Amino acid sequence: MSSEIVDFLRTPVQFLKGVGSFRGERLNRMGISRAFDLLFNFPRDYLDLTDRCEVNQLEEGKIQTVVGSIDSWESQLTRRGQMQALFVNCGNGFVKAIWFKMPFIVREFARDRRVMLTGKPKFDHPFWVMMHPQITYLSDNDDEAEPESFLPIYSLTEGIKQHHLRKIMREMLPAYASKLEEVFPQDFLIRHQLLPIENAVKAIHFPTSKEELFFAKRRFVYQELFILQLGLAIRRLQHRTKLKATPLPTNRTIDVRIRQRFSFQLTESQEKAIKEILDDMSKAVPMNRLLQGDVGSGKTVVAIYAMLVAAANGHQAVFMAPTEILARQHLRTINRILENSRVNVVPLLGGQRPTERASILQEIATGAANIIVGTQAIVASEIPFQKLGLVVIDEQHKFGVMQRAALKSNEKFDPHYLVMTATPIPRSVAMTVFGDLDVSVMRGLPPGRQKVITYISNPEDRTKWWDFVTRKIRENRWQAYVVVPLVEESENFDARSLNEVYEQLSNGEFAGFKIGILHGRMSTEEKDRIMFDFRTGEIEILVATTVIEVGVDVPNANIMTIESAERFGLSQLHQLRGRIGRGKKPGYCTVFTSSPNEESQKRLKVFASTSDGFKLAEEDLKIRGAGDLFGTQQHGIPPFKIADLVRDREIVDEARRDAIDMVTSDPGLANPEHAKLRRQMLKRYGTVLNLGDVG
Ligand code: ADP
Ligand code: MG
């Protein structure tokens, strides 16, 4: 782009027609300082004037819209209270709008002011009357007398009115939009049904039809998603071509030996995941795979299989859990499975004595340690692996592409990576935040896993529920969880706090039972002791925060109460519930709420209706929206300006396919036709995706 054009697009807003220094200053405060910014300050919504009708076309009982000028208004005291009536001249007739008990509405009335009324009209001779219509002021200056079919609604700041901004936009759009640079090649636009940039910008501000608006939005959503997918595709490719791993193949002998260690048959999904993982590990390119499996689907076994293949190849494997509790649990599972084998498993945990730690580090450095199990915190410290072949990261649902730990061993090769998550991630999100990973999915539970019966209970049902829990503990020797959300003292919520619940239960309903408390601020030793006592049955009821959330496996604990459940997200509730139903009998889960709103009630209903984590994730996404749930930012990706992973999930698919195609045929984006896309991609994602030199 020539520098003249760049300069032109960078014209400070105050020099644009109709802006001036006062409004320019206001715009600057909204982060709009250049002509360019104004072009990309897209409307947040639109007034749809296409459905409006003339007075003589109105029909009773149907919501309709009319446009006209204010003629007059009056106020009356009626039996139903103060009434405001407004007469609007719609050209070929009048419409009378009526509001009760809204005296303030007259403040905006002004003779000849253009308004739009939306409501259900009724003919009451001699007028069409609308009761409590929605009123929209179109403009209070005359030169906007004939409104377009759609009017943009901008996010505004004080001192700038919609009609000001509309007027400014109408003035500046033709000249400036035509100077914008098109990043897509011409034939690409045609093939992918994308509006050219100039048309798209004009149409997104002043669309003339629903279709035009749809295509204008589509163009920008697509572009935003495509640019990211381009970056991800290149990152994937770089990973394939630049990084080298030692192939860790398997064979029949190894396979038989590993399988002998499991006391059960692997499920079909486990077999499939293992096959995909082993395929990757047998290659000289590091595996970079996400294993997505619902809570309880048996991911640990899959990971152990992969680690044993690494060990059989004379390489080390490291297994990282997010918490100490989980690391210890994995350690126990692995040790049990590997009892009497020559595989040497070492723990790397907090709270180890310096001498102990030194000797473990020694074993790791010499290669005497085959499998290292620890918390993700060990990533932070430099561990001197001798021959690191495989890294397994368990329950990594909070981190995405960007922060994935980079562990290196002394050798030049990179290890294979397996990332596991029990958070079922909707496809469109996985393709975005984990877009550079290969994905294996495990659905369904191993045989023997029991279902969990879920109730949403009212406060009146408390006594009944506690009676039920008591009976189950007495008669069936079951154990129970009571989960309480973390409540900061300062918070003015109705939610019940951990200590309060603990006190109440141990002095009331559960007096005489062995009851324990567990939360994140306890020391590691305390937490371990409590978990040990719970596992051995020494504690019968565990009152806990979400520290028990992921992965904890105590089969005898089969009953769960969740307090103030409205404070948990769907996927968190699902994780919690996944702690029970692990034994031979179905589990029971009940949720209590303290101050639910409509949304949380909806969420809890969905929660009670299914235990399929993938279904729950999709529902959660619909209720809460992607931004909130899978904030791309928490995964290190800058927020989207216009795309929405829920609404636009089909475009995510499309953009991803197209980006992969482009990178396959032009790996360095060296084709001059792709230069602008390449530049835009690097500008936005070069650093976050760590792309270095492309090409
Ligand atoms: P998650 O995927 O949530 O990490 P786990 O790996 O903890 O699940 O497995 C859940 C439970 O299922 C464990 O008790 C495990 O021993 C058991 N399990 C795993 N695979 C099988 C199988 N193929 N058959 C029977 N039980 C299994
Ligand atoms: Mg697990």
Side-chain angles (χ1 to χ4, degrees), residues 296 299-300 326 329-330 394-395 420 422 550-552 579 582:
K299 293 183 292 296
T300 318
L326 275 183
Q329 182 180 291
H330 285 318
D394 191 26
E395 304 298 357
M420 307 202 291
V550 276
V552 170
R579 303 301 109 231
R582 293 181 163 248

Side-chain angles (χ1 to χ4, degrees), residues 473 477 510-516 534 537-542:
I473 299 174
R477 304 265 110 228
F510 296 133
F513 284 100
K514 291 169 279 185
I515 174 166
F534 191 55
E538 198 48 45
I539 289 175
E540 294 169 304
I541 298 150
L542 186 62

Side-chain angles (χ1 to χ4, degrees), residues 59 76 107 181 198 219 292 308 393 463 545 695:
E59 289 169 52
Q76 268 174 37
R107 269 187 242 151
E181 171 185 71
E198 179 182 352
R219 142 93 207 202
Q292 231 188 306
L308 290 175
I393 306 173
T463 321
T545 59

Side-chain angles (χ1 to χ4, degrees), residues 380-605:
S381 56
E382 305 243 312
I383 303 298
F385 297 102
Q386 191 236 6
K387 257 190 173 186
L388 183 59
L390 172 68
V391 178
V392 179
I393 306 173
D394 191 26
E395 304 298 357
Q396 174 119 354
H397 52 297
K398 296 249 160 64
F399 295 83
V401 196
M402 313 320 150
Q403 298 101 328
R404 222 159 293 138
L407 294 191
K408 290 254 163 138
S409 64
N410 288 333
E411 50 178 31
K412 293 181 293 296
F413 298 113
D414 283 276
H416 296 280
Y417 268 92
L418 177 64
V419 179
M420 307 202 291
T421 175
T423 309
I425 303 161
R427 216 178 117 70
S428 61
V429 178
M431 284 192 303
T432 305
V433 295
F434 294 119
D436 65 332
L437 294 177
D438 299 304
V439 180
S440 295
V441 177
M442 300 207 312
R443 290 190 87 139
L445 304 180
R449 277 298 305 253
Q450 297 294 326
K451 65 175 205 184
V452 175
I453 299 157
T454 305
Y455 307 104
I456 304 171
S457 295
N458 299 315
E460 310 88 83
D461 302 332
R462 254 180 206 286
T463 321
K464 235 166 70 192
W465 171 249
W466 291 136
D467 284 348
F468 176 75
V469 177
T470 317
R471 214 168 51 240
K472 285 289 176 195
I473 299 174
R474 284 234 177 82
E475 293 170 11
N476 303 29
R477 304 265 110 228
W478 277 8
Q479 289 163 277
Y481 293 105
V482 178
V483 184
V484 184
L486 253 189
V487 187
E488 292 297 329
E489 309 259 337
S490 60
E491 272 184 276
N492 216 356
F493 277 104
D494 223 358
R496 310 186 64 202
S497 83
L498 189 70
N499 281 316
E500 186 190 316
V501 172
Y502 175 78
E503 290 299 327
Q504 265 181 20
L505 292 178
S506 47
N507 295 318
E509 283 83 358
F510 296 133
F513 284 100
K514 291 169 279 185
I515 174 166
I517 191 165
L518 184 75
H519 57 81
R521 296 216 196 104
M522 291 172 143
S523 72
T524 310
E525 294 87 75
E526 273 180 296
K527 276 191 276 192
D528 284 345
R529 202 191 36 165
I530 299 283
M531 278 318 289
F532 181 84
D533 288 349
F534 191 55
R535 209 169 4 254
T536 55
E538 198 48 45
I539 289 175
E540 294 169 304
I541 298 150
L542 186 62
V543 182
T545 59
T546 52
V547 284
I548 57 150
E549 183 182 334
V550 276
V552 170
D553 190 15
V554 180
N556 197 45
N558 213 16
I559 194 158
M560 178 175 281
T561 311
I562 304 176
E563 293 284 354
S564 307
E566 75 276 7
R567 305 195 25 124
F568 296 106
L570 255 183
S571 68
Q572 208 172 16
L573 289 167
H574 178 61
Q575 296 283 341
L576 286 168
R577 180 171 57 183
R579 303 301 109 231
I580 59 174
R582 293 181 163 248
K584 295 184 181 65
K585 293 268 169 61
Y588 294 90
C589 174
T590 208
V591 299
F592 288 106
T593 52
S594 28
S595 49
N597 57 23
E598 212 172 295
E599 186 199 303
S600 57
Q601 266 161 348
K602 212 153 102 195
R603 201 161 61 224
L604 293 175
K605 255 200 205 122

Side-chain angles (χ1 to χ4, degrees), residues 68-121:
S69 310
I70 293 182
D71 180 84
S72 55
W73 57 96
E74 62 190 37
S75 178
Q76 268 174 37
L77 192 62
T78 69
R79 268 176 299 138
R80 290 176 58 190
Q82 196 71 34
M83 179 190 91
Q84 314 297 340
L86 177 74
F87 294 89
V88 176
N89 184 348
C90 299
N92 50 8
F94 280 81
V95 169
K96 180 180 180 185
I98 291 176
W99 293 271
F100 285 98
K101 295 182 186 156
M102 289 176 68
F104 48 86
I105 199 155
V106 301
R107 269 187 242 151
E108 294 281 331
F109 293 169
R111 210 180 137 76
D112 295 332
R113 190 165 184 191
R114 302 280 298 168
V115 294
M116 182 163 95
L117 298 172
T118 303
K120 271 189 195 168

Side-chain angles (χ1 to χ4, degrees), residues 33-47:
S33 55
R34 310 283 182 163
F36 183 89
D37 301 326
L38 212 45
L39 292 178
F40 287 92
N41 174 48
F42 294 161
R44 66 170 163 78
D45 205 354
Y46 301 85
L47 278 179

Side-chain angles (χ1 to χ4, degrees), residues 98-157:
I98 291 176
W99 293 271
F100 285 98
K101 295 182 186 156
M102 289 176 68
F104 48 86
I105 199 155
V106 301
R107 269 187 242 151
E108 294 281 331
F109 293 169
R111 210 180 137 76
D112 295 332
R113 190 165 184 191
R114 302 280 298 168
V115 294
M116 182 163 95
L117 298 172
T118 303
K120 271 189 195 168
K122 204 172 146 63
F123 193 71
D124 186 6
H125 193 78
F127 296 113
W128 281 95
V129 179
M130 282 187 183
M131 299 291 280
H132 284 263
Q134 185 196 331
I135 182 164
T136 312
Y137 298 93
L138 295 181
S139 160
D140 52 17
N141 62 355
D142 290 328
D143 47 17
E144 209 184 37
E146 230 11 84
E148 285 89 330
S149 43
F150 281 88
L151 280 181
I153 302 174
Y154 297 98
S155 301
L156 289 178
T157 178

